[in-house]
Amino acid sequence: AQSVTQLDSHVSVSEGTPVLLRCNYSSSYSPSLFWYVQHPNKGLQLLLKYTSAATLVKGINGFEAEFKKSETSFHLTKPSAHMSDAAEYFCVVSGGVGFNKFYFGSGTKLNVKP
Amino acid sequence: SAVISQKPSRDICQRGTSLTIQCQVDSQVTMMFWYRQQPGQSLTLIATANQGSEATYESGFVIDKFPISRPNLTFSTLTVSNMSPEDSSIYLCSVATGTGNNQPQHFGDGTRLSIL
């Protein structure tokens, strides 16, 4: 069975300060993990993906995430928040051979204060 | 990554009517997916649509309510039938591109549907 828990429904940071969005997963397989961002009235955009290569994954717009198997975590970070980062972020787990279903977390809304 | 166009982008419909949502991709893809995102919620997979076969529906979703067509490798439609206010949601299509296991999915901008 696979599942994702996003530990914070809302996160608020000031512009220029670090961002941390937390994600824990459960998977019966070696998981593939993804972070997506959804801006208002938009679809989902892929930020980054982990598929059993390097444990520190760099994505677009300065975001990165670290896969920690011992902690079953895949937290998303960014050193310095920008106003344009305000959006909803989804952590996703998939796993197994071939195509497998995506399991979405409940989402974290990031607010960036000026 | 693929460019995905969904139509309509939004609509307001009367209860009891049906609406067909179109999803067009700029390249040939094997796997297309339809999701529902209820207000303030995460995404729930409705069905997987592969060209040349019947769509595979997830638990809680049935073909009579959400018929899907997949006539070719670049196009799919989802119909929301006999709509009620509970069907008010964002409906998104996505595609899996690339080869190998567990490739990422790429999403359209969604169709925002309100039922009166």
Side-chain angles (χ1 to χ4, degrees):
Chain A
Q2 302 189 81
S3 65
V4 172
T5 301
Q6 290 184 243
L7 297 162
D8 306 293
S9 59
H10 291 81
V11 170
S12 185
V13 302
S14 298
E15 190 174 22
T17 64
V19 175
L20 171 64
L21 305 183
R22 298 183 294 167
C23 172
N24 285 100
Y25 70 90
S26 173
S27 178
S28 304
Y29 307 95
S30 294
S32 292
L33 293 155
F34 309 86
W35 276 99
Y36 285 84
V37 60
Q38 186 178 33
H39 288 94
N41 298 312
K42 287 292 191 180
L44 275 70
Q45 181 185 19
L46 179 67
L47 281 177
L48 49 81
K49 64 179 181 180
Y50 167 78
T51 53
S52 76
T55 56
L56 182 61
V57 181
K58 294 188 182 299
I60 62 171
N61 301 335
F63 285 95
E64 63 182 36
E66 186 172 7
F67 173 72
K68 291 187 176 180
K69 185 176 181 179
S70 61
E71 298 176 11
T72 61
S73 69
F74 190 58
H75 301 334
L76 181 70
T77 60
K78 183 174 180 178
S80 176
H82 191 274
M83 294 298 292
S84 61
D85 294 328
E88 187 157 21
Y89 293 78
F90 293 95
C91 182
V92 179
V93 67
S94 183
V97 177
F99 165 73
N100 285 278
K101 182 178 172 181
F102 270 24
Y103 293 84
F104 282 81
S106 54
T108 299
K109 290 186 178 177
L110 177 64
N111 178 46
V112 182
K113 298 175 290 186
Chain B
S1 63
V3 176
I4 302 160
S5 301
Q6 267 188 250
K7 290 182 180 179
S9 59
R10 60 179 67 242
D11 208 340
I12 301 172
C13 300
Q14 297 295 320
R15 68 177 68 201
T17 63
S18 299
L19 178 74
T20 295
I21 302 167
Q22 299 179 3
C23 180
Q24 178 77 51
V25 189
D26 68 343
S27 58
Q28 294 185 338
V29 294
T30 302
M31 307 191 77
M32 296 181 75
F33 311 94
W34 288 99
Y35 289 86
R36 181 176 71 183
Q37 186 178 21
Q38 294 178 299
Q41 303 291 316
S42 187
L43 279 74
T44 301
L45 181 64
I46 296 172
T48 302
N50 292 335
Q51 194 266 339
S53 63
E54 294 290 325
T56 302
Y57 289 83
E58 296 297 306
S59 176
F61 298 96
V62 295
I63 187 171
D64 289 347
K65 176 67 175 177
F66 297 101
I68 289 171
S69 77
R70 182 79 200 274
N72 56 53
L73 291 174
T74 64
F75 188 78
S76 178
T77 67
L78 169 76
T79 298
V80 186
S81 303
N82 188 25
M83 290 183 285
S84 66
E86 292 71 35
D87 294 319
S88 297
S89 295
I90 303 171
Y91 293 86
L92 299 110
C93 76
S94 74
V95 302
T97 61
T99 58
N101 298 334
N102 296 303
Q103 292 298 314
Q105 293 179 28
H106 303 278
F107 289 81
D109 281 348
T111 295
R112 284 146 184 82
L113 184 57
S114 297
I115 315 304
L116 302 178

